[in-house]
Amino acid sequence: MANIKNLQMWKTICADARVSVSTSFFGLKTSAVYRPTNSPIEANIFEFAQADGLQLQHILTSRKPLSEALGNFVPTPTTNGNYMAEVCTSQDGAFAAVQLLQFEQLGYEPVTDVLIFEGDDALRLQHIF
């Protein structure tokens, strides 16, 4: 599990009205909660090879409904991948936020906006990560 404050999408998550952020222990511990269900949000980072990253980029930027775009696709995480997905999910599965980044010029650069999903779409994303 990653520290949510270290994600590139941190500012976007903080600005979302559906998310409540609190700090404790002299500002060293930060936690986020999905307000509608009062469920804690966990942050994770996954790296993917080129093929899975491109497929994931296509799915996330597709105008199709998520269930249709995903199909049977399940990406396989790898170490030192060319693509990285920052994923925040609520423990109850009702909320998910995803941003896909690609390694370019000695760092990961965003290739998608921060995408926020709720309900069934959030559960689908939670299952593939």
Side-chain angles (χ1 to χ4, degrees):
M1 188 163 38
N3 184 343
I4 196 166
K5 281 180 65 174
N6 294 338
L7 301 180
Q8 287 191 30
M9 68 174 167
W10 169 242
K11 288 183 182 178
T12 305
I13 296 293
C14 286
D16 194 303
R18 295 166 284 198
V19 176
S20 173
V21 177
S22 62
T23 58
S24 61
F25 196 64
F26 305 106
L28 296 175
K29 184 175 182 334
T30 302
S31 60
V33 173
Y34 179 55
R35 285 183 183 181
T37 61
N38 205 30
S39 179
I41 295 174
E42 298 175 350
N44 289 292
I45 295 175
F46 302 96
E47 294 184 25
F48 302 104
Q50 179 83 13
D52 281 350
L54 285 171
Q55 181 71 20
L56 195 54
Q57 182 179 357
H58 176 72
I59 289 168
L60 293 174
T61 57
S62 172
R63 296 199 186 271
K64 296 178 183 178
L66 185 61
S67 59
E68 183 181 327
L70 273 174
N72 294 329
F73 176 69
V74 178
T76 305
T78 186
T79 55
N80 299 322
N82 193 29
Y83 283 85
M84 178 174 71
E86 294 181 342
V87 181
C88 292
T89 56
S90 62
Q91 285 182 350
D92 65 359
F95 172 86
V98 179
Q99 184 171 32
L100 188 65
L101 305 106
Q102 184 178 15
F103 191 80
E104 290 182 6
Q105 303 203 9
L106 303 177
Y108 284 98
E109 300 296 326
V111 293
T112 66
D113 293 330
V114 176
L115 304 169
I116 296 179
F117 300 92
E118 294 180 289
D120 291 339
D121 287 342
L123 274 173
R124 284 184 187 95
L125 279 176
Q126 194 170 15
H127 287 298
I128 69 165
F129 288 111

